[in-house]
Amino acid sequence: MFTEERQEAIIKGLHEKGKVKVKELSEMFGVTEDCIRKDLKALENAGRLKRTYGGAILSQDYPLERDVVDRRNYHVKKKKEIARKAMDLIKDNETIFLDISTTNIELAKLLTESRKRVVVVSNMIDILQILAKSAHITAIGTGGTMYRTVNGFMGAATIEFIKQYSFDRAFLGSCGVDMVDCTITTLGAEDGLTKKAAIQSGRHKYVVMEREKFYFNDSYKFAHFDDINGIITDEYPDSMTVSVLEGAGVRLF
């Protein structure tokens, strides 16, 4: 089989299954795993797939919306499940940080409905407006440069504000993880550097994200797996991904 034919067969398999694995493709085509990795790299460079740890997915498999305001009604049920798990980790009298994230909006709703007494620092206006409804929560906004697409604050002034705090728990949104180099990604430097400041100020750090994002990554790497304590998701990813995360000391919730 010629290289072009093999690569087309890989794409066909992706359309049928949603993802492929290097080892399985190697056995299927009777070529080395190195050869398959070169195929996947060539197909990724052509924009036809996205490489993941041990395999690949279709590049359009996760329909990422750039604007947070456009993602509020996307995967709501999954976000509610993630928020419920995050809520179980929060204790009375803690100081927590809620990053710009539509999942954290759901967590803010649960906090407001509960009777937990906590201090919540956030750089997202939606979250602050929700928390303001509760008499048991002290809500603190970071301030800084306002970004309309995320309805929140990012950048130098926001980072300086965050650095003044010590959070018991920080809950951070993500656009996905890169399983190849074990990093957590977002869509740009301003957001990434702001998240990084929250990680540095947090005692327990968690990424909140849907299962699909284990198979997608964006352009800016704001943390490595060893920078966080856990990932809270609606459903566990495949066993290979779980193994890599556990090996890096990342707990899955």
Side-chain angles (χ1 to χ4, degrees), residues 10-244:
I10 290 172
I11 294 298
K12 182 181 178 182
L14 273 173
H15 280 286
E16 292 172 351
K17 301 177 182 177
K19 64 180 179 179
V20 293
K21 295 182 179 180
V22 170
K23 186 176 181 180
E24 292 176 358
L25 292 174
S26 172
E27 294 171 353
M28 181 188 304
F29 297 116
V31 296
T32 65
E33 292 186 11
D34 239 10
C35 180
I36 294 298
R37 289 190 187 95
K38 288 177 182 177
D39 284 339
L40 298 182
K41 185 174 182 180
L43 290 167
E44 183 179 50
N45 289 340
R48 302 188 68 186
L49 58 74
K50 192 77 176 177
R51 282 187 297 164
T52 63
Y53 185 85
I57 61 169
L58 287 171
S59 59
Q60 67 268 35
D61 205 40
Y62 188 77
L64 179 70
E65 293 285 352
R66 288 308 202 193
D67 290 3
V68 167
V69 292
D70 294 331
R71 300 204 304 268
R72 288 173 184 154
N73 299 317
Y74 186 75
H75 280 173
V76 174
K77 185 177 179 181
K78 295 180 179 182
K79 290 170 183 174
K80 287 180 181 293
E81 173 61 16
I82 297 167
R84 184 192 63 76
K85 292 180 180 180
M87 183 70 181
D88 289 341
L89 297 171
I90 300 171
K91 298 177 175 59
D92 275 329
N93 302 313
E94 287 190 333
T95 298
I96 68 172
F97 179 78
L98 296 185
D99 176 46
I100 292 173
S101 160
T102 51
T103 299
N104 278 342
I105 290 176
E106 298 302 325
L107 177 53
K109 291 176 183 177
L110 291 181
L111 279 168
T112 302
E113 293 165 4
S114 77
R115 299 188 67 80
K116 288 184 179 178
R117 295 184 178 275
V118 290
V119 175
V120 183
V121 178
S122 182
N123 57 332
M124 189 173 193
I125 291 174
D126 302 69
I127 291 172
L128 294 169
Q129 288 175 327
I130 292 167
L131 296 174
K133 300 173 184 177
S134 173
H136 302 283
I137 297 172
T138 301
I140 301 172
T142 62
T145 302
M146 170 69 182
Y147 285 75
R148 181 187 57 80
T149 56
V150 297
N151 202 32
F153 306 103
M154 299 186 295
T158 306
I159 290 169
E160 284 305 311
F161 184 94
I162 290 171
K163 285 180 178 179
Q164 306 309 309
Y165 278 83
S166 177
F167 306 115
D168 293 294
R169 302 178 198 278
F171 297 92
L172 307 154
S174 168
C175 290
V177 297
D178 188 331
M179 296 303 299
V180 176
D181 63 3
C182 299
T183 54
I184 307 160
T185 69
T186 190
L187 57 84
E190 291 290 345
D191 187 37
L193 291 170
T194 305
K195 293 177 189 296
K196 188 174 290 189
I199 287 174
Q200 292 170 348
S201 293
R203 190 157 55 92
H204 299 289
K205 290 87 68 172
Y206 309 95
V207 172
V208 290
M209 66 182 215
E210 304 100 297
R211 181 184 188 275
E212 286 87 347
K213 293 184 180 180
F214 285 105
Y215 309 109
F216 187 93
N217 61 76
D218 215 301
S219 57
Y220 190 87
K221 303 171 182 179
F222 68 88
H224 287 80
F225 288 168
D226 56 6
D227 293 323
I228 64 170
N229 298 98
I231 296 177
I232 308 173
T233 185
D234 58 299
E235 185 182 353
Y236 276 23
D238 62 276
S239 58
M240 183 178 291
T241 301
V242 171
S243 178
V244 173

